[in-house]
Amino acid sequence: MKPWDRSPQRRRYLGAAIAGLGLVASLLAAGPAAATPDPGDAPHSKRVTKGQASDVKAAIENGDIPGVDEIVHSDNVSHLTNIPKQDLKGTNSDLAFQGRYAFAGNYDGFVIYDISRPRTPKIVSQVLCPGAQNDVSVSGDLLFLSTDSSRSDNSCNSTTQPATEKSSWEGMKVFDISDKRNPKYVAAVETSCGSHTHTLVPERRNVYIYVSSYSPSETFPDCQPPHDGISVIKVPRYAPEKAAVIDFPVLFPDGGNPGGPTNPGVSQTTGCHDLTTFPELKLAAGACMGDGILLDIADPARPRVIDRVEDNVNFAFWHSATFNERGTKVVFTDELGGGGAATCNARVGPDRGADGIYDIVGKGDQRKLVFKSYYKIPRYQADTENCVAHNGSLIPAKGRDIMVQAWYQGGVSIWDFTDSAHPKEIGYFERGPISADTLVGGGAWSAYYYNGYIYSNDIAKGFDVLKIDDRRTDSARSVRLHELNVQTQPDYR
């Protein structure tokens, strides 16, 4: 059942308090106010109206939504375990995998888990190194960490410092993780406007990093407009201390989407939020605020745009991208409200804060992105739950296009887009709202499939391990990877 086909009673609950939607309305109408429009940078909590709080409590009592912190899931999904936050108390962010280890970003640093026994993961080490978002990836003995918050210097002892000061630092950090119990900080590279996210193109001798950042200002000495491209860093594997920016390719010579007032409610393109590379196919897809792009990366040092699309009706902020296994489709996500608003409700509807599914048609430089449909979780969330499409990965099921995806407090959704025009959810996991009377930022930041299990980094609750038992995904269990950075898409075949 789709949420917009719910019973009148269900629609009344989730469509109520329209007059009191000042919080949501302001977030939907505005572009990103800071360099990082994610929950860790938005107010951590905000009181909702008395009417909204009353509706949430009534919905919990009536069983329309789970109770506060109550765990619910579909019959084909099991919740195996949760490890709460330990020493690092900041916002949990992205995940990467290598062998029997999972690497979990946190705004205060990163955590390494031993997941050789997925039902009982163990913490191997915790590294304190503040610098939001601490987007994380790994390649061989190297770990890469993004810093997109203005710091006093590039050390792990840095403090916050205004971006208006020339001495402030933002960019990429590199760690040696040959000893998982004792990672060593070995290099730092400053990049224009910092590094909100980053994406690897690994080669035998070098690792190329595409650094995404945005929101320049005339008052920021190291983040000047226009900022219409990405930074490309080259890291020699055996001399990471020589890592350096080698280029800043301009992806939007015309400046990209102008945003409002030309396109009301749409973010102006001033850089990219996230890129996903598919090295085997020499392709990349970019989610760049007001634009979605397809790139040729045959020369990883010089990525170039093949096609570009906009959606000025339903997309507010192009956030991330995922290819299907054959590289014939791209799923783009829209982070409506910057991840800090309640957008999984009747008022927002099924097409905003959703995924956009695009087929790739044509060959070579004539390839085009063709829109097919939207996908949004078919379960309404409370007005006290931040909920919107966020980070996910493929489940490499044979002959199908299936994805697992995080939706903040909307939980984790498993959905099938084999038919691009008719996607459908086949499984889910979620918790009830963190609060019944206050909108508190939380929920699943990332949810990824790795070697038979689903791992999720919950902003507030910690590290979750899930398992799906379903004939449609059973074939994926035979796919074993040694390394997975979801934004560097493997050839599962």
Side-chain angles (χ1 to χ4, degrees):
M1 177 184 291
K2 300 294 184 185
W4 48 96
D5 293 330
R6 301 277 185 172
S7 68
Q9 179 181 0
R10 179 72 160 146
R11 286 199 299 270
R12 276 199 301 273
Y13 153 60
L14 290 154
I18 288 178
L21 281 171
L23 168 66
V24 175
S26 64
L27 283 167
L28 303 193
T36 49
D38 289 302
D41 298 280
H44 185 66
S45 63
K46 180 161 184 155
R47 299 287 297 183
V48 296
T49 66
K50 290 183 179 179
Q52 287 173 303
S54 176
D55 287 337
V56 170
K57 292 173 183 176
I60 292 173
E61 292 174 0
N62 295 334
D64 292 329
I65 62 171
V68 172
D69 286 340
E70 178 187 359
I71 290 176
V72 296
H73 52 80
S74 55
D75 292 340
N76 58 354
V77 172
S78 304
H79 183 216
L80 302 184
T81 192
N82 168 266
I83 300 180
K85 294 180 186 179
Q86 304 294 314
D87 294 336
L88 304 184
K89 303 300 185 182
T91 296
N92 278 340
S93 57
D94 213 0
L95 293 167
F97 305 88
Q98 185 183 83
R100 62 189 179 98
Y101 299 101
F103 304 82
N106 178 285
Y107 277 40
D108 288 338
F110 63 92
V111 181
I112 302 178
Y113 294 95
D114 182 335
I115 55 171
S116 55
R117 296 182 177 179
R119 293 178 182 273
T120 56
K122 304 294 184 185
I123 293 177
V124 176
S125 57
Q126 303 179 71
V127 176
L128 178 65
C129 196
Q133 300 182 139
N134 279 338
D135 190 45
V136 63
S137 60
V138 294
S139 185
D141 287 339
L142 300 177
L143 178 145
F144 305 95
L145 206 63
S146 284
T147 299
D148 191 30
S149 60
S150 187
R151 313 295 298 179
S152 56
D153 56 50
N154 63 12
S155 75
C156 287
N157 297 316
S158 67
T159 57
T160 58
Q161 182 169 292
T164 52
E165 295 187 23
K166 176 61 180 173
S167 63
S168 295
W169 185 91
E170 298 179 73
M172 290 298 308
K173 295 169 181 165
V174 184
F175 290 78
D176 182 323
I177 53 168
S178 53
D179 180 356
K180 303 296 188 293
R181 295 187 178 278
N182 186 31
K184 296 180 179 178
Y185 186 8
V186 296
V189 181
E190 187 170 16
T191 54
S192 176
C193 299
S195 173
H196 190 72
T197 66
H198 68 271
T199 305
L200 305 186
V201 185
E203 294 189 336
R204 188 171 64 87
R205 298 182 63 85
N206 302 300
V207 180
Y208 291 92
I209 307 176
Y210 296 158
V211 176
S212 295
S213 56
Y214 53 95
S215 292
S217 169
E218 295 283 0
T219 65
F220 299 163
D222 298 320
C223 184
Q224 290 283 299
H227 183 74
D228 297 324
I230 57 173
S231 297
V232 179
I233 296 174
K234 181 179 179 180
V235 185
R237 287 191 184 276
Y238 303 108
E241 68 279 3
K242 295 181 180 179
V245 175
I246 60 171
D247 200 3
F248 186 88
V250 174
L251 305 180
F252 303 97
D254 65 351
N257 197 319
T262 303
N263 298 314
V266 178
S267 293
Q268 178 187 1
T269 298
T270 59
C272 290
H273 179 276
D274 208 353
L275 276 75
T276 293
T277 59
F278 201 150
E280 183 71 19
L281 299 181
K282 303 185 188 310
L283 280 178
C288 302
M289 304 182 72
D291 295 88
I293 55 176
L294 188 67
L295 302 101
D296 181 304
I297 58 168
D299 181 351
R302 296 174 177 83
R304 59 186 183 85
V305 177
I306 300 172
D307 193 29
R308 169 180 153 194
V309 290
E310 294 179 353
D311 181 345
N312 294 320
V313 175
N314 288 312
F315 262 47
F317 187 89
W318 295 67
H319 176 274
S320 54
T322 303
F323 288 99
N324 70 334
E325 191 171 340
R326 293 177 297 153
T328 58
K329 303 174 186 176
V330 182
V331 175
F332 288 104
T333 68
D334 172 27
E335 196 183 41
L336 178 68
T343 68
C344 297
N345 53 31
R347 177 183 181 275
V348 175
D351 297 337
R352 304 199 70 204
D355 296 314
I357 304 166
Y358 287 75
D359 283 354
I360 301 174
V361 301
K363 296 182 178 181
D365 285 355
Q366 303 305 311
R367 283 172 287 192
K368 299 291 182 184
L369 293 164
V370 178
F371 174 77
K372 302 300 291 186
S373 66
Y374 297 108
Y375 169 76
K376 194 169 183 179
I377 54 173
R379 288 164 285 108
Y380 283 145
Q381 305 299 306
D383 289 330
T384 59
E385 294 180 283
N386 59 306
C387 175
V388 74
H390 214 238
N391 293 352
S393 77
L394 287 186
I395 297 179
K398 186 176 181 180
R400 293 179 181 270
D401 296 327
I402 297 178
M403 185 171 174
V404 57
Q405 186 177 5
W407 289 78
Y408 290 123
Q409 286 194 71
V412 174
S413 177
I414 302 163
W415 58 286
D416 189 321
F417 62 104
T418 307
D419 181 348
S420 302
H422 300 94
K424 59 182 179 181
E425 184 173 81
I426 63 172
Y428 70 91
F429 164 87
E430 69 166 294
R431 291 179 170 90
I434 294 174
S435 170
D437 55 19
T438 302
L439 198 159
V440 180
W445 178 290
S446 299
Y448 299 146
Y449 182 92
Y450 178 68
N451 292 351
Y453 295 86
I454 294 168
Y455 299 90
S456 174
N457 213 18
D458 188 287
I459 290 169
K461 300 298 182 182
F463 185 69
D464 288 305
V465 185
L466 313 174
K467 188 175 183 182
I468 180 169
D469 291 295
D470 191 293
R471 60 177 178 77
R472 292 163 290 192
T473 62
D474 285 347
S475 60
R477 295 178 184 174
S478 64
V479 178
R480 311 297 291 184
L481 300 177
H482 173 65
E483 195 169 86
L484 177 63
N485 301 294
V486 169
Q487 288 74 31
T488 303
Q489 198 153 318
D491 183 358
Y492 291 106
R493 297 170 293 176

